[in-house]
Amino acid sequence: MSNIPETGRTPRVQIRLIVIQVLVFSLLLTLGGRLWYLQIRNGEEYINEAKNNHVQQVVQPAVRGSILDARGVPLADNQSKLVVSASRTELMKMKDDGKAVLTRLADVLDMTPKDVMDKVRLCDAKTPQPCWNGSPYQPIPVTNKANQQQALQILERAEDFPGITAEPTAVRRYVAPGKANTAQVLGYLSPVTDAEIEKAKHSSSPYLRSDQVGRSGLERTYDKYLRGNAGVTRYEVDNLGRVIGLAKADKAKPGSNVITSIDARVQAVAEYELLDAMKEARKAFDKNTNTNYKADAGAVVVLESKTGRVVAMASNPTYDPNAWVGGISGKDYAKLTGKDSNFPLLNRGIQAQAAPGSIFKVIPTTAAVNAGYDFNGSYPCPSSYSIGGQTFTNYESKGHGNISLGGALEVSCDTVYYALAHQQWQRDGGTKPKKGAKDWFYKTAHQFGLGKETGIDLPNEVAGRVPDRQWKQRFWAANKDAWCKQGKKDGSFVEKIAFENCIDGNQMRAGDSVNYSIGQGDTLVTPIQMASVYAAIANGGTLHAPSVGKAIVSADGKKVDELKPEVSGKLPMNQATHKLIDEALAGVATRGTAAWRFQGWPQDKIPMHAKTGTAEVYGKQTTSWFATYTKDYSIVMTIAQGGTGSGASGPAVRKIYNALYGLDAAGKFDPKKALLPQPQQGLPKIETDGSIDAPPIKPYVPEPKDAEGADALAGPPATTPNRGNGGTRGTNAGTGTNQPVGD
């Protein structure tokens, strides 16, 4: 037995109890503080998170609205297809990141494993197409071409294909009625990105991860109307994922339909005739290069003269927009964007910039009248015009004696415009401009709407260029260092140009002004700009912002919002000047440079007006331009490296008019063959069930080939030697334009 008294243990026991009490109290205090932090200070935040963790969303995509032509014919609509999709979220949970599953899937779909894996990888700056540029949290379409047997294999062997779904889905379809492709006008779709979702989160039209959005053309311009609102059903689930109730359900609202001013029949004619004109131009021999013309790109625009609405717009080379549906393949993407593709995604009607050549002459004609020159005055048209040691020649070095400004338009006399531009350049002070210089020729081009976008309802339109004194200064400042580095006084042609530009490239030279006066030099226009100009002349002087969209109609047809044509300006000419120019352009079609293309045309019933243009581009073959109008339509066609205006583009434009008005090659009317003798009035009817009573489209039957043969394609005469140099000034190396040629 211990002799230690019992009372000796008490202090130690008491100390231990106190320590335990302090420890318990500290733990309780810590727990209480944590509970206060979670339940009071941040309680609302965690409550909301807990709610979200127990709500699952099921998205029902909205049916995208259709894009219709002016008569209700679908240009783009939807069709149900079996779509096989992969959940990247589920695949990433697997040890091999889903490679085994995707390999098995490739075998079922008759695809290569690489193609399938490329489809589900995410796009970034280093990853080439094909890849997924949408949200990584939504199902990624692998193919929309699966058949029922393939879908059944996937569904019946679900354990072999975790994260893979196969179900009927409404997918976009680009119909091409009557072979009217309309690719660049319609555009295409691709998945929404996370950045776009975040940007539009607080807008009036937010995105869901399942959305497809327009990337170009009408699909982009009218995306918020076409897209509709997806249906979202929210289910309450427990922590095991079991549904315990319905939280909220929003029904899907289908997108609205966009009715356009495009006529699919005319569009088919325009596309066919543009391509055929390019093929025929390639048969013609270019004496300047001793090769056939390349005719590697072109565009044609058909506008309603009184409204500026687009009846047809064709661009070549072209492509099938269905290639983008369900995700584009690597092979197709390379075809559309590769070095040798010549960029078919470009809408050359609004994005191709080129010197306009002589179709530009209506502008300096107007400028000369506004500067005080008499339209009916007498102006010499010699075979050439000299400025110092530099000679500028007329087309084929032909002279026409003394003629009026109207006569200069009819025969496309360059030297008349050279002299007028040179005189105005001198009056404005030449290379040392006077304060308040009039600059009539440049000012008038701006008043005609050039040098800026027309405002057409298609994305990515380019502005072209009016090379006035202000532009010269900006361009020189941006390129001076490069010119000075490249330039050599006694070097090659390009090096000489660079040398001269380095020294005084900001000055408006005499050669710049005379080149500009006939649509050469640094001047750049687009087909839509020139079609708008000629439509304005046709209607008496009103410039419109061209438009493709005509109305937005709800899916049930009950709500119709018409899109009215917008006036963008007035041509700077009075009625007297307008009448004289109108008569001169009629003379071009009856006795001038375009007369040989309008033989037999019923001028007394449908007055035709035209202007031919042939622009020379440094290092390339000549660009063909043909601008025309009637009281109803304005048609402009251009073919790059295609030869002369009347030679390459002229026959195709005539055939488009023949189809519109129901004329044969001899000018005889057949009303039954007339596609659109007058612009379409009214809108097609959309029923409450969404159906449209669209008329059928008969295939376009082209006219028999002309008997003239390929030698006539480049015009009479087919080509012209390079005209007028006597020095390098007046040409331009910066933009690749050289001395002018005629028509």
Side-chain angles (χ1 to χ4, degrees), residues 581-639:
I581 290 178
D582 184 73
E583 291 173 350
L585 294 174
V588 174
T590 56
R591 56 183 178 267
T593 56
W596 70 303
R597 286 308 185 193
F598 287 106
Q599 293 178 7
W601 182 264
Q603 191 72 9
D604 57 332
K605 296 181 177 65
I606 309 172
M608 176 62 66
H609 307 74
K611 188 70 196 82
T612 57
T614 308
E616 186 167 319
V617 181
Y618 177 74
K620 293 186 177 182
Q621 296 168 310
T622 53
T623 299
S624 168
W625 286 92
F626 203 68
T628 59
Y629 66 84
T630 64
K631 63 182 177 61
D632 304 301
Y633 303 105
S634 166
I635 302 180
V636 170
M637 180 178 284
T638 183
I639 300 176

